[in-house]
């Protein structure tokens, strides 16, 4: 009898602690709901001018990573909006849809090793870390790199390594990579990165001005080392030469 | 009459203050354009003009509200306004900076609209205060309005023209105290002895101290927008500003860093052959924070330039032997190095910015291997069209490469900027200066869906036809692209099958796509950098084929050929497609339309709101008070005044907004064009105002007739005149510009003082209302004129202005009928 009472009391105590914990974290609940809505409305059931992202692993990662923790406090309420946000030094955290789209286009697998050039806020690296074996991310601006590193450590994305450095030379010690993503604006694709891409590997380069991606360039290296590129626009235009009255 | 305030006499001392005020405020306008260009981008200039006029117009409203108090102690008010205005020159910009507007976020964040409006209002304060001074003096002038209005315009013209050489002395924010000083000097001369007895003099040191405090606590140094290339480059760990130059053409910085690697659209095949991917160290030349050009280290070994052969700009050298080369916009010398690498025997490097040329031949000569001193290379500091008009030389290659920064181009920041290098007339000139086998090579940044590449293509087709190559002009075109650039070759002679083979071999080796040559099959295109649809191929073949007109009509973007009459190359926006885009894409439309044009639209919305709220609304109520004071006005008179002052306000600004870009062609740079067009307009309009002092109202028709005649003659003869003058030295072109603009402006200076004089005689209480209507129309007209120019062309904008002047003359006759009936008959 006494033993039963002790167990019951312990269970009630545990339940109370759990309830208490969630009562203390209504903001987190709200952000989680915002994240769910973000995935549903912007990504998986995207508006008809977008190709919805369907990869369940990618969607799960987008639901899991707390995007609001990768922006300044004053912008957290806007973190799940359908737009990019500034993170300082002329950089932005990409629109959620673009992050999901690029992740899906990379077709990452659980045993992949991924290099990201331009860590920025660390958000893309965090998303990738839930999908692949290892993520290496480089950022030239030390302040940004340190911030990204702190966030990633705090959130315990242990498979992400952050380095302050010149992304032009990639990460030679860890090369070759199955996938590379180049998020910093560059006028050229660094030849060392092309070399560090494994045969059969893919590289994704978003191209456009600050706050807006105009097109995505996918670089693919065949098993024999031949390079091909694909371009895609992240939205679907009406036929470009449709007459105005054909709506 | 009841409600009418007796105004004190206006003397020559007031005229001195008026002169200094107008000079300071116009100079401030130019400096503000420079400050905003450094902080943001150049097309904020139109916002500044709109602001200036808003401030002036609003001052009219306040003046009427406070007229009794003001005229009761006019000297005190003038002194205080002068002190406040002189303080506001640095302070307004500093405060506006603290608002923290980010124009790139206007579409994403609603709060930015409030910030933009707040910025707009804060920056209008100096103009409001200065406008108060001008308004007080002009309102008190009575029959002397024409004389004092002339003083106002002459002062403004002087300020406008003095500020340009002053920009060589230092950065714009350090010139602001000079304006404050000029304003205080005028106030000191005018009013310090008559305001508050002799105590008025104290205003001067107090204001001076406050200005110093402003510089110490809130210096008006522009903060670069964080996405500007200079701001981003300076965040590199070892980035260092190695040189700085200031001048009217821009604030130039040269930045060095080991992390700079600019080789636009470098082939991904470069360096895969095992020899290693060697790139020289580089520095970047920035102008107002935007990347202008790259300087590469060159030690004389042409083998170090192998990477340049892996760009689309190298194509022409692989198609034909090209020995005599003209590089347009040589800048840091990349295309010159390419020409030397390709064994050109003579390279003329054109650079229109003398400061850039000085940097390349001075502090960076050694780094660049004394490129511009090489025997094969001749540096010419000249704008391209002016140079070509003045020479009979023929070139094997004219290279025009990537004259806009990528970031600015991708964001559409140049949509409101004029460029006379990419028009049909320009291409036709280039073609006329090619040797028989010569090639024009034009490289632009790639966009998806394509815009630049297709517009270059359509403009080239138009130029070929204009040059008399109407039989199969498409055989003279060849288009390729890399993953980030596209290069179009335009040849006087058709490309032969052998040359096409060479072009395809060049492209295949570098994994560049060939998007067009005459007879190209679809399977040849879109192989390496595969687009979801072969956009460039489809667009180019459509433009080269019989369905080109249909394509231009139906394409989502305006890629029609450019002409000198509408030189807005980067303006691809189509109103008839815009709603489709926005409805389909919602906020995603942003990357595909130009922020530059959206900012012009945003400025128009603000101008209408601010003008309506601050100028018209108060005056609507005051108009009724004035009508009661005048014993009642008829609807005809009210509407007539509204129409008269409104239409001359619109018409004046439409003409000014069309003149400013037009004279960029003759004078090579917007700052010179602004100074001359604005300065000459003001000075000669001032002279015109002076001349109507003793003229009856009926002479308004003379002015209107002369303006209309000028506009018609300009429309008919301008092309020939400009072609004749373009090759002249700068002094000659300047003189012609001044004469042309001045002859028009002399008559533009008549309508406003004539109307204001008639109003001050017949309806004196309504002078501020008339002033306010004109101000409001000017505010909106400045931005609307810009939009009209971009949409329908400069000539049509000027014709609309001429028609508005005609209507204004009719309105004048109806409004001031009793007094002028005898005279209009």
């Amino acid at each position: 009898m006494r033993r039963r009472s002790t167990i019951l009391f312990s269970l009630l105590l545990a339940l109370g602690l759990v309830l208490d914990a969630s009562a203390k974290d209504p903001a987190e609940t709200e952000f989680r709901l915002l994240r769910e809505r973000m995935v549903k409305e912007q990504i998986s059931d995207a508006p008809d001018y977008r190709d919805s992202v369907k990869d369940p692993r990618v969607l799960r990662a987008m639901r899991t990573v707390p995007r609001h923790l990768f922006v300044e406090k004053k912008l957290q309420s806007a973190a799940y909006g359908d737009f990019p946000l500034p993170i300082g030094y002329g950089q932005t955290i990409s629109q959620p849809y673009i992050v999901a789209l690029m992740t899906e286009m990379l077709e990452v697998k659980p045993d992949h090793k991924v290099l990201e050039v331009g860590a920025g806020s660390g958000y893309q690296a965090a998303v990738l870390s839930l999908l692949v074996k290892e993520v290496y991310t480089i950022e030239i601006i030390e302040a940004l790199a340190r911030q990204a590193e702190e966030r990633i450590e705090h959130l315990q994305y242990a498979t992400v390594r952050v380095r302050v450095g010149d992304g032009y030379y990639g990460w030679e010690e860890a090369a070759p990579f199955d996938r590379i993503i180049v998020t910093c604006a560059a006028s050229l694709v660094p030849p060392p990165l092309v070399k560090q891409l494994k045969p059969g590997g893919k590289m994704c380069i978003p191209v456009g001005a600050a706050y807006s991606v105009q097109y995505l360039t996918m670089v693919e290296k065949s098993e024999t080392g031949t390079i091909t590129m694909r371009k895609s626009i992240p939205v679907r235009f009406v036929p470009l030469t449709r007459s105005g009255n054909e709506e | 009459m009841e409600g009418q305030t007796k105004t004190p006499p206006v003397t020559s001392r007031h005229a001195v203050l008026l002169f200094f005020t107008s000079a300071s405020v116009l100079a401030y306008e130019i400096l503000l354009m420079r400050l905003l260009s450094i902080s943001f981008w150049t097309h904020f200039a139109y916002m500044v003009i709109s602001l200036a006029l808003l401030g002036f117009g609003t001052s009219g409203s306040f003046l009427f509200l406070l007229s009794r108090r003001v005229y009761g102690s006019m000297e005190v008010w003038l002194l205080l306004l002068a002190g406040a205005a002189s303080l506001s020159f640095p302070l307004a910009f500093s405060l506006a900076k603290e608002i923290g507007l980010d124009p790139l976020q206007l579409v994403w964040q609603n709060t930015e609209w409030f910030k933009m409006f707040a910025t707009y209002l804060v920056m209008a304060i100096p103009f409001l205060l200065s406008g108060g001074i001008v308004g007080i003096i002009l309102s008190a002038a009575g029959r002397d309005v024409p004389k004092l209005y002339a003083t106002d315009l002459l002062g403004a013209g002087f300020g406008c023209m003095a500020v340009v050489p002053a920009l060589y002395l230092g950065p714009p924010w350090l010139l602001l105290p000079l304006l404050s000083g000029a304003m205080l000097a005028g106030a000191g001369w005018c009013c310090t002895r008559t305001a508050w007895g002799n105590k008025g003099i104290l205003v001067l040191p107090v204001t001076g101290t406050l200005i110093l405090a402003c510089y110490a606590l809130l210096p008006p140094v522009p903060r670069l927008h964080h996405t500007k290339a200079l701001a981003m480059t300076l965040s590199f760990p070892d980035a260092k500003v190695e040189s700085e130059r200031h001048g009217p053409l821009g604030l130039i910085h040269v930045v060095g860093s080991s992390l700079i690697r600019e080789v636009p659209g470098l082939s991904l095949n470069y360096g895969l052959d095992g020899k290693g991917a060697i790139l020289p160290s580089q520095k970047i030349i920035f102008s107002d924070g935007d990347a202008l050009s790259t300087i590469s280290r060159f030690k004389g070994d042409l083998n170090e330039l192998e990477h340049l052969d892996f760009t689309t700009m190298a194509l022409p050298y692989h198609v034909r032997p090209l020995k005599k080369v003209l590089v347009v916009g040589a800048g840091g010398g990349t295309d010159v190095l390419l020409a030397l690498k390709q064994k050109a025997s003579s390279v003329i490097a054109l650079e229109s910015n003398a400061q850039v040329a000085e940097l390349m031949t001075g502090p960076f000569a050694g780094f660049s291997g004394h490129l511009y001193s090489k025997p094969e290379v001749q540096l010419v500091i000249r704008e391209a069209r002016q140079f070509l008009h003045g020479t009979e030389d023929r070139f094997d290659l004219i290279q025009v490469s990537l004259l806009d920064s990528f970031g600015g181009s991708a964001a559409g920041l140049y949509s409101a900027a004029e460029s006379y290098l990419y028009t049909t007339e320009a291409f036709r000139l280039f073609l006329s200066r090619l040797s028989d086998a010569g090639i024009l090579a034009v490289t632009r940044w790639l966009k998806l869906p394509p815009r630049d590449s297709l517009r270059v293509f359509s403009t080239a087709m138009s130029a070929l036809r204009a040059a008399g190559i109407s039989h199969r002009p498409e055989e003279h075109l060849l288009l390729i692209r890399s993953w980030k650039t596209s290069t179009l070759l335009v040849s006087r002679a058709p490309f032969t099958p052998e040359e096409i083979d060479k072009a395809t071999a060049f492209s295949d080796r570098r994994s560049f796509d060939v998007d067009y040559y005459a007879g190209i099959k679809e399977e040849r295109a879109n192989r390496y950098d595969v687009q979801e649809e072969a956009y460039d191929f489809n667009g180019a073949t459509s433009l080269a084929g019989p369905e080109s007109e249909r394509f231009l009509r139906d394409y989502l973007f305006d890629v029609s050929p450019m002409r000198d009459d509408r030189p807005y190359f980067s303006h691809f926006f189509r109103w008839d497609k815009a709603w489709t885009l926005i409805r389909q894409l919602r906020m995603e439309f942003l990357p595909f339309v130009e922020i530059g044009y959206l900012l012009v639209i945003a400025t128009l919305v603000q101008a209408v709101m601010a003008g309506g709220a601050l100028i018209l609304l108060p005056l609507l109520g005051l108009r009724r008070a004035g009508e009661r004071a005048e014993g009642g006005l008829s609807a005809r008179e009210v509407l007539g005044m509204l129409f008269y002052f409104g239409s001359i306000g619109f018409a004046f600004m439409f003409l000014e907004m069309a003149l400013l870009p037009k004279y960029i062609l003759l004078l090579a740079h917007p700052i010179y064009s602004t100074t001359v067009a604005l300065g000459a307009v003001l000075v000669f309009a001032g002279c015109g105002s002076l001349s109507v002092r003793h003229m009856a109202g009926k002479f308004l028709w003379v002015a209107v007739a002369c303006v209309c005649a000028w506009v018609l003659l300009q429309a008919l003869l301008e092309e020939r005149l400009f072609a004749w003058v373009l090759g002249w030295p700068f002094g000659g072109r300047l003189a012609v510009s001044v004469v042309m603009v001045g002859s028009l402006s002399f008559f533009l200076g008549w309508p406003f003082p004539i109307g204001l004089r008639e109003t001050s005689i017949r309806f004196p209480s309504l002078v501020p209302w008339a002033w306010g209507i004109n101000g409001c129309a000017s505010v909106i007209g400045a931005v609307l004129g810009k939009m009209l120019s971009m949409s329908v062309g400069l000539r049509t904008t000027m014709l609309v202005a001429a028609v508005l002047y005609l209507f204004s003359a009719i309105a004048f006759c109806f409004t001031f009928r009793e007094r002028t009936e005898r005279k209009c008959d």
Side-chain angles (χ1 to χ4, degrees):
Chain A
M1 181 70 182
R2 197 170 167 180
R3 190 174 167 180
R4 226 180 277 166
S5 303
T6 307
I7 292 168
L8 188 58
F9 178 72
S10 304
L11 282 171
L12 283 171
L13 183 61
L15 182 62
L17 284 170
V18 166
L19 287 172
D20 187 45
S22 60
K24 276 182 188 157
D25 234 340
E28 285 308 312
T29 308
E30 195 183 325
F31 282 128
R32 186 175 52 77
L33 290 171
L34 284 172
R35 211 151 51 239
E36 293 283 344
R37 200 163 94 187
M38 169 192 84
V39 172
K40 185 168 168 32
E41 292 177 4
Q42 299 171 30
I43 301 173
S44 64
D45 294 334
D48 54 11
Y49 53 84
R50 287 179 185 167
D51 287 323
S52 294
V53 171
K54 293 296 182 198
D55 186 332
R57 296 174 65 233
V58 174
L59 296 176
R60 195 160 46 243
M62 295 298 292
R63 281 192 199 99
T64 307
V65 177
R67 182 178 162 95
H68 64 282
L69 295 180
F70 289 84
V71 300
E72 283 182 71
K73 246 188 157 52
K74 66 180 182 183
L75 294 175
Q76 282 186 347
S77 58
Y80 296 99
D82 192 9
F83 40 76
L85 288 170
I87 56 170
Y89 304 95
Q91 311 295 320
T92 56
I93 178 173
S94 299
Q95 206 175 353
Y97 171 70
I98 296 295
V99 173
L101 182 68
M102 289 197 298
T103 307
E104 186 179 61
M105 287 174 77
L106 279 173
E107 295 179 335
V108 292
K109 296 190 170 63
D111 61 343
H112 276 173
K113 197 182 339 175
V114 178
L115 171 68
E116 180 192 33
V117 177
S121 65
Y123 178 65
Q124 176 79 72
V127 168
L128 286 167
S129 73
L130 299 180
L131 301 167
V132 300
K133 191 170 113 189
E134 290 171 295
V135 179
Y136 294 81
T137 184
I138 306 174
E139 175 55 59
I140 189 62
I141 300 169
E142 185 166 355
L144 282 179
R146 295 291 165 238
Q147 271 175 24
E149 196 171 32
E150 276 169 27
R151 287 175 183 134
I152 282 164
E153 271 178 27
H154 171 68
L155 293 166
Q156 298 179 335
Y157 295 121
T159 55
V160 179
R161 286 177 184 66
V162 181
R163 173 187 274 185
V164 177
D166 180 4
Y168 181 86
Y169 295 104
W171 197 312
E172 222 169 324
E173 312 88 87
F177 298 96
D178 299 281
R179 300 289 186 263
I180 298 178
I181 182 165
V182 183
T183 54
C184 58
S187 76
L188 54 87
V189 179
L193 291 190
V194 179
K195 274 207 173 135
Q196 289 176 19
L197 189 62
K198 267 186 198 168
K202 290 185 182 182
M203 187 188 309
C204 180
I205 310 165
V207 179
Y211 296 102
S212 55
V213 170
Q214 207 175 73
Y215 58 86
L216 300 169
T217 294
M218 293 296 297
V219 178
E220 297 179 25
K221 189 189 244 183
S222 72
E223 293 296 340
T224 55
T226 309
I227 302 292
T228 54
M229 286 180 284
R230 300 200 153 270
K231 270 216 180 16
S232 65
I233 308 174
V235 294
R236 205 181 309 123
F237 281 89
V238 292
L240 288 170
T241 53
R242 179 184 284 178
S243 303
N245 57 0
E246 286 177 31
E247 293 301 322
Chain B
M1 284 180 198
E2 186 187 342
Q4 188 180 355
T5 305
K6 188 168 164 44
T7 57
V10 170
T11 68
S12 58
R13 290 183 294 109
H14 298 101
V16 169
L17 172 59
L18 183 59
F19 182 90
F20 276 107
T21 301
S22 302
S24 301
V25 83
L26 231 299
Y28 178 70
E29 223 178 294
I30 306 272
L31 292 181
L32 190 58
M33 287 182 199
R34 293 293 307 116
L35 289 168
L36 289 175
S37 179
I38 295 167
S39 306
F40 301 119
W41 302 281
T42 52
H43 42 263
F44 274 78
Y46 299 96
M47 184 171 158
V48 171
I49 295 173
S50 176
L51 277 174
L53 299 164
L54 174 69
F56 270 63
T58 310
S59 67
S61 303
F62 283 107
L63 191 58
F64 192 83
L65 276 173
L66 305 169
S67 57
R68 277 196 199 153
R69 252 184 245 183
V70 168
Y71 294 116
S73 47
M74 188 166 94
E75 309 284 304
V76 173
W77 275 91
L78 287 174
L79 191 59
L80 287 176
L81 283 172
S86 60
L87 176 60
S88 73
F89 286 149
L91 190 59
F93 183 75
S94 299
L95 290 174
K97 219 174 51 164
E98 297 307 313
I99 293 172
L101 169 67
D102 186 349
L104 289 185
Q105 291 209 70
L106 273 173
V107 183
W108 301 115
Q109 303 289 345
N110 291 335
T111 48
E112 292 302 322
W113 286 94
F114 295 106
K115 284 187 189 175
M116 186 155 178
F117 198 63
T119 304
Y120 192 67
L121 291 179
V122 166
M123 289 204 294
I125 291 172
F127 301 108
L128 170 69
L129 296 168
S130 311
I133 297 171
V134 175
I136 288 172
I137 296 173
L138 285 182
S139 297
R143 287 170 194 273
D144 282 336
V145 158
K147 187 170 79 176
L148 285 159
Y149 186 60
T151 308
D152 170 33
L153 294 179
L154 287 167
F158 172 78
C160 186
M161 289 187 286
V163 78
V164 170
L167 281 166
Y168 284 107
L169 301 176
W173 54 93
L174 290 183
L175 296 179
L176 292 173
L178 292 177
L179 309 186
S180 303
M183 179 82 86
L184 289 175
W189 181 261
C190 169
C191 313
T192 50
R193 271 170 282 177
T194 49
W196 296 312
N198 280 337
K199 295 196 196 94
I201 194 92
L202 292 173
V203 169
L204 305 184
V206 167
T207 309
T209 307
L210 288 172
I211 291 170
L212 286 172
C214 170
Y215 269 85
L217 299 170
L218 270 179
V221 180
R223 195 179 291 146
L224 282 179
H225 190 270
H226 58 104
T227 62
K228 283 202 134 182
L230 176 60
M232 292 173 67
T233 305
L234 287 175
S235 67
F236 292 168
D238 62 349
K240 202 175 102 172
V241 176
E242 297 187 13
S243 192
E244 185 176 310
R245 295 281 188 277
H246 30 77
L249 300 188
L251 180 60
I252 307 281
H253 290 92
V254 178
V255 175
S257 164
S258 63
L259 299 162
I260 292 173
R261 295 173 197 97
E262 292 291 321
V263 188
L266 180 68
S267 164
L268 266 67
N269 295 355
Y270 178 66
L272 291 183
D273 55 4
K275 290 182 194 164
I278 305 161
L279 294 178
S281 59
Q282 293 177 319
K283 300 180 195 300
I284 301 182
I285 306 173
F286 297 90
S287 177
D288 289 346
D290 288 323
L292 189 65
S293 188
T294 308
I295 313 173
S296 296
R297 180 185 287 283
F298 181 51
K299 295 175 189 165
D301 181 2
L302 292 175
N303 293 324
E304 291 177 359
L305 303 175
E306 189 63 23
H307 60 287
L308 295 178
D309 200 43
F310 281 76
T311 62
T312 55
M313 286 81 86
L315 172 66
Y317 296 99
H318 290 261
V319 170
R320 287 180 191 157
L322 303 168
K323 293 299 172 194
K324 195 167 176 191
V325 178
L326 175 71
V327 173
V328 174
T334 301
D335 283 334
V336 177
L337 286 173
L338 175 61
L340 293 179
K341 166 77 179 159
Q342 302 294 344
K343 310 272 190 286
S345 55
S346 161
V347 184
I348 293 187
L350 283 184
E351 175 52 56
S352 60
N353 189 323
Q355 290 177 312
V356 170
E358 183 269 323
L359 287 167
M360 289 298 295
T361 54
F364 299 99
F367 182 81
S368 64
H370 298 277
L371 185 62
Y372 291 138
S373 307
K374 291 200 167 307
E376 315 93 309
V377 180
Q378 182 190 352
L379 175 64
V380 175
I381 303 172
R382 203 95 192 265
E383 191 274 334
R385 286 181 67 169
Q386 288 152 18
F387 172 78
L388 288 172
H389 268 287
T391 184
E392 292 299 322
D393 273 355
R394 294 287 180 269
F395 300 96
D396 298 322
L397 173 66
I398 298 177
Q399 182 92 277
V400 184
S401 304
L402 299 173
L403 298 181
D404 306 332
S405 74
F406 174 74
S409 178
L413 292 169
Y414 302 116
S415 60
E418 298 81 8
S419 172
Y420 287 94
L421 286 177
Y422 299 99
T423 64
T424 299
E425 292 85 348
F427 280 19
R428 194 176 162 191
L429 175 64
F430 293 148
L431 288 172
S432 72
R433 296 297 189 266
L434 290 175
S435 58
D436 291 339
I439 295 175
L440 165 66
V442 183
T443 302
R444 299 284 305 179
W445 297 107
L446 197 70
K447 288 193 185 107
L448 264 193
R451 279 150 277 173
D452 298 54
S453 53
L454 294 185
R455 176 160 268 166
V456 171
F457 197 97
S458 68
T459 304
M461 287 287 288
S462 170
L464 285 166
R465 290 193 181 103
I469 304 172
S470 50
H471 176 67
R472 301 185 65 83
E474 64 273 15
E475 291 180 352
H476 300 246
L477 298 169
L478 208 152
L479 177 67
I480 71 166
R481 65 180 158 89
S482 69
W483 70 282
K484 214 168 182 187
T485 57
S486 71
T487 296
L488 176 72
L489 302 191
V490 190
S491 171
R492 280 168 63 94
F495 288 107
T496 64
E498 294 75 27
E499 289 167 345
I500 291 171
D501 286 343
K502 288 179 187 172
T504 53
F506 167 88
S507 303
D508 287 340
R509 192 176 156 223
R510 291 153 181 78
S511 297
F512 294 156
D513 283 285
V514 181
D515 279 322
Y516 185 80
Y517 54 79
I520 186 172
K521 300 276 184 279
E522 190 169 354
E523 52 269 22
R524 184 61 188 84
N526 207 29
R527 283 184 180 181
Y528 299 104
D529 184 22
V530 180
Q531 298 168 342
E532 288 162 328
E533 269 181 50
Y535 295 113
D536 285 273
F537 166 80
N538 290 340
T541 45
S542 298
L543 287 170
E547 298 288 312
S548 59
E549 288 303 320
R550 188 159 172 260
F551 177 83
L552 288 172
R553 195 184 60 235
D554 294 344
Y555 194 57
L556 197 58
F557 301 99
D558 179 5
V559 292
S560 55
M562 281 291 99
R563 298 205 65 103
D564 284 353
D565 187 56
R566 197 165 69 96
Y568 300 99
F569 179 86
S570 299
H571 179 55
F572 305 105
F573 188 86
R574 290 181 61 162
W575 283 103
D576 57 338
K577 303 289 185 187
W579 310 121
T580 306
L581 261 183
I582 293 168
R583 210 166 47 241
Q584 293 281 334
L585 304 181
R586 291 179 232 161
M587 288 298 108
E588 306 277 2
F589 82 95
L590 174 65
F592 308 103
V593 298
E594 306 98 47
I595 292 179
Y597 193 58
L598 293 178
L599 285 173
V600 175
I601 296 172
T603 307
L604 177 65
V605 168
Q606 283 182 140
V608 169
M609 283 168 49
L614 295 174
I615 299 174
L616 275 189
L617 280 181
L619 289 176
L620 282 177
L622 298 169
R623 179 185 61 76
R624 290 195 196 98
E627 282 178 3
R628 286 195 296 274
E630 304 300 340
L633 282 175
S634 66
R636 171 179 57 81
E637 286 165 330
V638 169
L639 282 174
M641 277 187 66
L642 187 64
F643 198 88
Y644 179 76
F645 286 101
S647 57
I648 62 172
F650 276 114
F652 189 97
M653 293 316 300
F654 285 1
L655 281 173
E656 198 167 304
M657 290 301 109
L659 285 173
L660 286 179
K662 204 170 261 298
Y663 285 86
I664 290 174
L665 178 57
L666 274 192
L667 300 171
H669 196 278
I671 192 71
Y672 294 134
S673 163
T674 302
T675 305
V676 167
L678 207 52
V681 163
L682 293 166
V683 167
F684 283 90
C687 295
S689 298
L690 210 54
S691 70
V692 302
R693 266 181 307 162
H694 305 296
M695 278 189 209
K698 69 176 176 183
F699 285 96
L700 177 69
W701 280 102
V702 173
V704 169
C706 290
V707 167
C708 292
W710 190 99
V711 169
L712 283 170
L713 282 172
Q714 167 101 1
L716 292 169
L717 302 175
E718 165 202 290
E719 201 174 321
R720 249 170 284 178
L721 175 68
F722 277 27
W724 181 45
V725 170
L726 259 176
W728 291 11
F730 181 75
R733 285 180 275 120
L734 182 66
V736 167
S737 305
V738 169
V739 166
M740 294 287 299
V741 172
S743 57
L744 169 69
S745 306
F746 182 83
F747 296 104
L748 291 182
W750 290 22
F752 185 70
I754 287 177
L756 208 61
R757 183 187 59 199
E758 295 298 324
T759 306
S760 70
I761 294 166
R762 186 172 160 72
F763 319 114
S765 307
L766 297 181
V767 166
W769 188 56
W771 173 263
I773 294 166
N774 186 261
C776 190
S778 302
V779 168
I780 298 169
V783 189
L784 201 54
K786 176 67 176 175
M787 288 177 68
L788 262 182
S789 302
M790 291 173 71
S791 300
V792 301
L794 305 176
R795 196 170 300 148
T796 305
T797 304
M798 296 179 87
L799 287 169
V800 169
V803 169
L804 282 173
Y805 271 116
L806 274 173
F807 286 159
S808 73
I810 297 169
F812 179 88
C813 275
F814 277 99
T815 308
F816 301 103
R817 185 185 277 182
E818 279 180 33
R819 275 191 60 82
T820 59
E821 207 162 29
R822 296 186 298 276
K823 295 173 174 138
C824 277
D825 290 339

